Amino acid sequence: MTTAWRATVLTLFPEMFPGPLGVSLAGKALASGLWELEARDIRDSATDRHRSVDDTPAGGGPGMVLRADVLAAAIDAAAINQNRPRLLMSPRGRPMTQSMVAEFAAGAGPLIICGRFEGVDQRVIEARNLEEVSIGDFVLSGGEIAAMALIDACVRLLPGVMGKQASGVDESFSEGLLEYPQYTRPQEFEGRTIPEVLISGDHAKVAAWRKAEAEALTRARRPDLWAARGGQKGTKSTTDG
């Protein structure tokens, strides 16, 4: 019997979990035991009667910094296996990608630390070998929402979570491309019709159309992704001039 994929979250607000992770696809999988979630309160590792977890920045400046000793104790108390990654959600971290998510989903599940205040004492990042991960070039009030995004992205890739396994393959970023446009009934909506090729029954033509549309969207909206693919030439989009 294999152990379920597990997300262990260290946070100052454990009541935020499972939150959105408790409903829809992730919630059903959680209730079915396909994955597990543990939210641990960092304050439980504080040593003073005020349960202090932060202090003023060394060198001065605004805000507060999460203390190294308290966070290190919280990490140690979680007692996770060494093969599980230790992640710190941080706007200065490595950008989260679908390939990164797939790597995390293939393992036993990460320990995720939700930063707060002005950040985390650098010494605990180094001492506990934390990998900083960012979900985008913006700043949130804390790492909890970012952690939820990472967990959700991982959970949907776990075996048995999605109804059709192909759903996790044929979508945005799975092959370095944005996903092609999707359509469904009715065939006509406010004067707009479904592209004829999609109702032609010719699977080869449908596949070619979808690839061309995905490439066109990626070139137009994410030139960084297109450049990373080496500007591969594909089938000309039906929307190109």
Side-chain angles (χ1 to χ4, degrees):
M1 185 174 181
T2 58
T3 303
W5 189 89
R6 185 181 186 87
T8 301
V9 181
L10 298 186
T11 172
L12 294 175
F13 300 97
E15 64 273 17
M16 292 180 68
F17 294 86
L21 298 172
V23 297
S24 189
L25 196 69
K28 291 178 182 178
L30 183 62
S32 300
L34 295 178
W35 70 288
E36 298 175 354
L37 174 65
E38 178 187 21
R40 301 175 62 93
D41 193 341
I42 296 173
R43 290 189 188 278
D44 289 342
S45 295
T47 57
D48 66 337
R49 63 189 181 92
H50 298 293
R51 303 182 77 202
S52 303
V53 298
D54 59 336
D55 210 329
T56 55
M64 304 291 280
V65 176
L66 197 58
R67 290 174 46 151
D69 55 346
V70 175
L71 184 54
I75 294 170
D76 295 344
I80 67 167
N81 294 333
Q82 291 299 315
N83 63 331
R84 296 177 62 190
R86 301 178 175 193
L87 311 179
L88 170 64
M89 305 312 298
S90 165
R92 72 178 193 181
R94 183 161 63 105
M96 190 171 77
T97 63
Q98 190 65 21
S99 60
M100 180 194 297
V101 167
E103 180 181 341
F104 292 147
L111 168 75
I112 306 175
I113 298 162
C114 302
R116 280 274 163 178
F117 315 123
E118 294 302 311
V120 172
D121 190 308
Q122 181 66 28
R123 293 171 296 178
V124 72
I125 297 175
E126 298 169 358
R128 293 300 181 271
N129 194 29
L130 305 183
E131 178 183 356
E132 297 181 73
V133 177
S134 170
I135 64 168
D137 295 337
F138 49 86
V139 179
L140 299 170
S141 299
E144 287 78 13
I145 293 175
M148 290 178 190
L150 187 150
I151 293 170
D152 182 79
C154 289
V155 167
R156 62 192 304 277
L157 298 183
L158 300 178
V161 173
M162 285 192 286
K164 289 182 63 178
Q165 201 61 30
S167 296
V169 177
D170 199 17
E171 61 186 5
S172 288
F173 310 115
S174 60
E175 294 184 0
L177 295 171
L178 300 182
E179 189 175 9
Y180 48 79
Q182 295 280 10
Y183 299 86
T184 187
R185 289 185 291 270
Q187 186 169 339
E188 182 176 339
F189 167 71
E190 295 184 351
R192 296 171 171 84
T193 60
I194 297 174
E196 286 294 327
V197 64
L198 297 181
I199 55 177
S200 67
D202 190 322
H203 298 298
K205 288 183 178 180
V206 169
W209 181 91
R210 285 174 169 171
K211 180 181 180 183
E213 291 299 312
E215 290 177 346
L217 280 171
T218 305
R219 286 198 305 270
R221 299 183 182 181
R222 291 295 303 275
D224 57 322
L225 289 178
W226 185 250
R229 287 173 56 87
Q232 298 176 22
K233 295 182 179 179
T235 308
K236 186 176 176 63
S237 167
T238 56
T239 60
D240 289 345

